[in-house]
Amino acid sequence: MHIAIIGNGISGITAARFIRKLSDHRITVISAETDHFFSRTALMYIYMGHMRFEDTKPYEDWFWAKNRIDLLRAYVERIDPDQKQLELRDRAPLPYDKLIIACGSTPNKFGWPGQDLDGVHGMYSFQDLEAMERHSPGLQRAVIVGGGLIGIEMAEMFHSRHIPVTFLVREPSYWNGVLPAEESQMVNRHIRENHIDLRLATELREIVDDGQGKAGAGIPGLGVRFLCGFGGRPAGVRPNISFLEGSGIETQRGILVDEHLRTSVPDIYAIGDCAQARAPRPGRRPIEAIWYTGRMMGETVAYNICDRAQSYDPGIWFNSAKFFEIEYQVYGNVQARPPENHASIYWEHSDGRRSIRIIYDRETLTILGFNLMGVRYRHEVCEKWLRDQAHVEEVLQNLSLANFDPEFYSEYEAKVIASYNQQTGKQLRLRQKRRLDSVLRFLRGATTIS
Ligand SMILES: Cc1cc2nc3c(=O)[nH]c(=O)nc-3n(C[C@H](O)[C@H](O)[C@H](O)COP(=O)(O)OP(=O)(O)OC[C@H]3O[C@@H](n4cnc5c(N)ncnc54)[C@H](O)[C@@H]3O)c2cc1C
């Protein structure tokens, strides 16, 4: 059996690796972007000089031949499910028995005049990184349009090379559709502390030609004019599915898949950023464009293709990022605009760069989520509390178990408990300081710690 995979990102490559572990099928991975798999999340560190491109490749170049995974650098123009073949640009068609589409995302465009000028780029692909490199020497100013995680990364990238940055965010506060108000404001402050010209509640109207077909000035709704030579367009991403038109594969925003990651067409599967769950699990979104869910889908699809039926289970929601120097972690259900039943305990350090938020259900008092800024908690511990639907007071009294590494991170648990006591009038106390043996015992199954 020949399995073709479109896309050599985390989802396609995980699928290929697991199919190889489970079977002897012939595997071909096709990608137009690069010869080899690399870590997209590390693109910024190449620009900032922390890593070379070579260092972002998790596998040696010989790994693929050794594991009999054929790599094909080509662009798939069309899928022909009747003939079971892929039509490739400037190459002969490639037949397949089963097909996995793992074609990722593409940056959004909003129809701004000038959005296709030279010097206006999204930040998604290796080619986008090359464009940033090309435009950086002598740049007077970069204008980044659109908040979110990629926008702030672009700001940090230019900032690392001392290129002045103006950052236009349409909303009144950075990423306020995802971050609760206090955390969003913390990031606003931190962006400005880094000397980024952050313009909130500001919409781009037009990008003006400098007379030579290059981005010359961004003109936001407020009528301000900026000199610039680069317009970053990181205003979110969407599934990269335009080449599927006419294939008969059912799509909405993404490629619709069932719990086994099957599309509407037999023998064709879709995974990663481009897949849209027909029936997402409670509390989960139909499209989750993040690294670890791509990896999980890659593994699940491999089992399904190798006749070991498995439903896709994304587990407890988790995400992490960095806003300049502030690390961010979220576990479970933390919403920017919480529903009625969500109660929240919030503690913020006086330096305004660290905070802990714990969400629980107002009626059942079960734990729902953690939102951490500048403080790192243990993934396994938070996940276990959430999976076990632990009582909020049980969590609070044992909060030191979650503290990742008190050797390097200070402990703020007592302060979080004090916030809860103040809110509720209770007299809760921390049961003990964190000790590694307690953490291990807890993870092995003891629900309370002695
Ligand atoms: C700058 C940046 C930073 C990020 N940081 C984080 C982070 O910190 N944490 C996190 O969880 N997520 C992060 N993400 C998101 C994460 O990288 C993606 O969710 C993940 O890479 C998606 O993997 P994928 O395999 O689905 O698709 P992709 O990695 O997009 O791979 C798809 C591949 O398919 C190729 N392709 C598409 N169509 C065709 C075609 N027709 N023919 C041939 N080849 C094709 C593409 O060129 C691409 O190489 C970040 C993304 C970006 C852009």
Side-chain angles (χ1 to χ4, degrees):
M1 180 160 73
H2 179 213
I3 299 164
I5 302 175
I6 306 176
N8 68 351
I10 181 66
S11 53
I13 285 300
T14 307
R17 284 180 41 243
F18 273 86
I19 293 168
R20 177 52 68 241
K21 280 185 195 189
L22 296 167
S23 77
D24 217 24
H25 300 317
R26 184 182 153 211
I27 304 168
T28 307
V29 181
I30 307 122
S31 175
E33 186 179 6
T34 50
D35 290 332
H36 298 105
F37 169 51
F38 70 96
S39 171
R40 196 172 298 291
T41 58
L43 276 177
M44 71 182 290
Y45 300 109
I46 302 174
Y47 182 93
M48 288 164 58
H50 301 187
M51 294 172 122
R52 296 166 305 164
F53 175 67
E54 293 307 300
D55 305 325
T56 68
K57 291 195 279 185
Y59 302 93
E60 299 291 342
D61 291 353
W62 48 259
F63 175 88
W64 311 103
K66 179 170 175 261
N67 288 285
R68 288 168 296 117
I69 296 172
D70 297 336
L71 304 179
L72 183 60
R73 181 86 182 264
Y75 183 75
V76 178
E77 292 196 315
R78 217 177 77 83
I79 298 170
D80 182 346
D82 298 331
Q83 302 291 321
K84 284 196 145 187
Q85 65 178 18
L86 304 178
E87 293 177 10
L88 307 178
R89 186 174 293 161
D90 302 328
R91 282 176 179 268
L94 181 76
Y96 66 80
D97 297 302
K98 290 196 191 265
L99 172 65
I100 300 173
I101 308 174
C103 59
S105 298
T106 186
N108 280 328
K109 286 190 178 184
F110 290 98
W112 296 307
Q115 68 180 11
D116 295 319
L117 284 170
D118 188 26
V120 183
H121 291 274
M123 167 64 194
Y124 190 84
S125 64
F126 183 71
Q127 287 70 25
D128 291 331
L129 181 73
E130 288 182 319
M132 277 182 80
E133 279 290 357
R134 209 171 47 245
H135 289 286
S136 291
L139 198 59
Q140 290 180 60
R141 176 168 292 276
V143 178
I144 312 291
V145 185
L149 296 177
I150 298 179
I152 201 164
E153 280 194 5
M154 283 179 99
E156 187 173 350
M157 289 161 83
F158 284 118
H159 181 66
S160 74
R161 294 208 188 168
H162 308 291
I163 296 168
V165 177
T166 293
F167 190 12
L168 308 184
V169 173
R170 193 174 51 177
E171 293 74 28
S173 187
Y174 172 78
W175 216 31
N176 71 345
V178 176
L179 293 177
E182 288 84 354
E183 287 89 329
S184 167
Q185 279 155 24
M186 177 185 294
V187 183
N188 293 340
R189 288 194 305 269
H190 190 56
I191 292 172
R192 288 185 171 130
E193 275 165 13
N194 277 282
H195 309 289
I196 304 296
D197 171 28
L198 173 66
R199 309 279 178 117
L200 297 172
T202 303
E203 258 192 85
L204 179 76
R205 199 191 300 149
E206 183 184 7
I207 302 161
V208 176
D209 194 325
D210 70 349
Q212 291 164 7
K214 204 166 174 293
I219 303 182
L222 294 185
V224 187
R225 248 187 120 84
F226 298 105
L227 271 181
C228 73
F230 189 94
R233 194 167 32 71
V237 295
R238 64 178 192 281
N240 171 31
I241 55 172
S242 54
F243 74 101
L244 298 181
E245 233 168 81
S247 65
I249 299 168
E250 205 184 333
T251 60
Q252 279 177 358
R253 275 190 57 227
I255 305 168
L256 289 168
V257 292
D258 66 11
E259 58 178 326
H260 296 288
L261 304 168
R262 291 177 295 217
T263 70
S264 59
V265 172
D267 295 329
I268 302 185
Y269 300 73
I271 55 174
D273 279 20
C274 66
Q276 175 179 345
R278 284 181 191 275
R281 302 225 167 180
R284 303 301 293 245
R285 287 180 302 256
I287 300 174
E288 292 183 333
I290 55 169
W291 186 263
Y292 83 90
T293 51
R295 195 179 52 214
M296 289 170 103
M297 283 192 228
E299 186 174 342
T300 304
V301 83
Y303 277 90
N304 284 310
I305 281 194
C306 296
D307 297 325
R308 301 204 206 169
Q310 202 178 83
S311 296
Y312 171 60
D313 177 4
I316 303 283
W317 170 252
F318 161 70
N319 201 3
S320 68
K322 236 175 128 221
F323 307 111
F324 286 85
E325 288 84 33
I326 298 181
E327 272 192 54
Y328 157 68
Q329 282 185 312
V330 58
Y331 298 98
N333 191 350
V334 177
Q335 299 188 32
R337 293 173 217 2
E340 266 294 289
N341 67 317
H342 281 206
S344 165
I345 309 160
Y346 182 72
W347 166 84
E348 186 173 310
H349 194 279
S350 54
D351 69 6
R353 285 167 164 225
R354 280 168 274 191
S355 68
I356 297 169
R357 183 182 294 279
I358 298 180
I359 312 287
Y360 63 98
D361 188 293
R362 213 177 283 285
E363 277 129 45
T364 62
L365 302 183
T366 52
I367 201 81
L368 296 173
F370 299 85
N371 206 60
L372 306 154
M373 307 289 285
V375 175
R376 200 187 289 180
Y377 270 8
R378 279 179 190 278
H379 192 135
E380 310 88 314
V381 172
C382 294
E383 198 168 67
K384 182 164 162 49
W385 277 327
L386 289 163
R387 217 179 24 242
D388 293 351
Q389 301 186 321
H391 192 286
V392 61
E393 294 185 359
E394 190 61 37
V395 170
L396 286 170
Q397 290 175 105
N398 292 293
L399 206 51
S400 359
L401 294 174
N403 196 317
F404 186 70
D405 189 352
E407 246 186 85
F408 300 108
Y409 290 82
S410 309
E411 297 181 65
Y412 306 114
E413 288 71 41
K415 297 185 168 139
V416 179
I417 293 191
S419 299
Y420 179 75
N421 287 343
Q422 202 177 10
Q423 258 171 253
T424 58
K426 299 205 175 176
Q427 300 281 320
L428 227 55
R429 281 165 167 266
L430 200 58
R431 285 220 175 110
Q432 61 170 354
K433 291 274 181 194
R434 185 211 78 131
R435 285 198 346 251
L436 191 60
D437 57 337
S438 311
V439 177
L440 294 177
R441 240 178 315 129
F442 170 76
L443 291 173
R444 277 200 295 267
T447 48
T448 53
I449 312 299
S450 53

